[in-house]
Amino acid sequence: MSRPAPQTALTPNDIRARKGQTPLVCLTAYTTPVAQWADAECDLVLVGDSVGMVLHGLPSTLPVTLDMMILHGQAVARGLSRALMVVDMPFGSFEDSPEQAFRNAARLMAETGAGAVKLEGGRHMAATIRFLVDRGIPVMGHVGLTPQSVNTLGGYKVQGRGPDRDRILADARAVQEAGAFSVVLEKLVASLADEITQDLEIPTIGIGASVGCDGQILVMDDMLGLFDAFRPNFVKRYAHLAAEAASAISAYATEVRNRDFPSAEHMIRDNGVGKDG
């Protein structure tokens, strides 16, 4: 069965225009086949720096490099025809100066074909966001729990309680004022996520936030039950593929040891007639 003809890809302006409309469906992807699955349903596909933990076995997102993001961005781009592809700016690639951020963001977009980049941070990154946007690079913001700052935040803790509430609200407003077309709200108390969503004119994309956000995003491998090393409590499992894979591998191993595989139907016969002809 052939793939459907390519559709017109969604743009950052299309995503921004969805504010207050039908919720945006967003997932991460790191490979071409998974991108194809996501493209069938998603409005936005994020090549997240979570790839470091999910696919490379790293302890956090901090060791992820720009080259890694480019490699996986290129793979994901081959699987998309409709969804907007956004690529994460990895730790250390944008914090030094707006000029550093522009060089690396421009490289990401040029080498992957991404429609936008995502970078973490609120008020302290506003000038950088504005610098990028003014130079033609669409930016998705990310406030609340920002995994690249996990060491200064004291771990993967819920954000937005007590006096921290005003800080995060100010961060979200600063990201919008700097020109971001949308903003991820991660691991916030629901009431604050709702307040930010109502306050901003750009879409909010929740992950561990509120059903009231303008969209939702999850790490693909988390929601499919493929990644068990680190499981946020806000993730809903829609499948348990790791268990199914383990069962399939066990069945295969048993058949190989018992010489049940390959059976006659999976072998090439002397007369040249087999399953493939």
Side-chain angles (χ1 to χ4, degrees):
M1 182 176 179
S2 61
R3 287 191 67 197
Q7 303 177 53
T8 302
L10 294 173
T11 68
N13 284 342
D14 294 326
I15 299 300
R16 180 173 181 138
R18 290 276 294 275
K19 175 71 179 181
Q21 306 300 314
T22 303
L24 293 156
V25 179
C26 314
L27 284 168
T28 66
Y30 319 114
T31 64
T32 303
V34 174
Q36 290 172 339
W37 303 343
D39 195 54
E41 296 289 348
C42 290
D43 303 299
L44 184 151
V45 171
L46 174 67
V47 185
D49 58 2
S50 50
V51 67
M53 300 172 72
V54 173
L55 292 191
H56 293 272
L58 297 174
S60 72
T61 63
L62 299 183
V64 173
T65 67
L66 195 66
D67 286 340
M68 288 169 65
M69 297 309 302
I70 290 171
L71 178 66
H72 289 283
Q74 291 170 338
V76 169
R78 297 184 192 107
L80 299 181
S81 61
R82 174 186 175 274
L84 172 67
M85 184 173 82
V86 179
V87 180
D88 260 338
M89 298 280 291
F91 179 71
S93 70
F94 62 93
E95 296 91 342
D96 186 56
S97 67
E99 291 79 11
Q100 179 211 28
F102 177 76
R103 287 193 301 272
N104 289 327
R107 183 184 169 204
L108 269 179
M109 293 189 69
E111 296 188 28
T112 67
V117 300
K118 181 173 77 66
L119 59 83
E120 297 181 6
R123 285 166 292 175
H124 68 289
M125 293 310 304
T128 295
I129 294 172
R130 172 53 63 190
F131 192 88
L132 296 181
V133 172
D134 285 347
R135 286 156 181 77
I137 296 180
V139 176
M140 169 182 272
H142 185 157
V143 303
L145 175 64
T146 47
Q148 292 175 10
S149 303
V150 67
N151 291 328
T152 59
L153 291 174
Y156 296 93
K157 297 178 179 178
V158 174
Q159 304 293 301
R161 289 176 173 151
D164 200 38
R165 190 180 188 97
D166 291 341
R167 176 186 66 83
I168 294 174
L169 178 56
D171 281 343
R173 287 172 174 168
V175 164
Q176 172 178 268
E177 291 167 6
F181 70 91
S182 61
V183 60
V184 171
L185 306 180
E186 182 166 359
K187 207 165 186 180
L188 298 185
V189 293
S191 61
L192 177 56
D194 288 338
E195 182 179 355
I196 292 172
T197 299
Q198 293 163 13
D199 184 78
L200 298 188
E201 296 178 358
I202 60 174
T204 59
I205 310 298
I207 177 167
S210 169
V211 71
C213 291
D214 297 297
Q216 302 293 331
I217 188 166
L218 286 175
V219 172
M220 177 76 79
D221 297 67
D222 286 341
M223 60 89 71
L224 291 180
L226 282 168
F227 182 67
D228 290 315
F230 176 76
R231 180 182 176 183
N233 58 8
F234 52 78
V235 171
K236 178 177 179 179
R237 289 279 170 84
Y238 287 82
H240 299 276
L241 300 190
E244 292 187 28
S247 178
I249 292 168
S250 177
Y252 165 73
T254 297
E255 289 191 6
V256 168
R257 293 182 182 116
N258 292 339
R259 297 192 183 278
D260 293 326
F261 176 83
S263 60
E265 64 177 311
H266 298 109
M267 291 186 287
I268 299 173
R269 300 171 188 171
D270 291 342
N271 62 7
V273 178
K275 189 173 183 180
D276 295 320

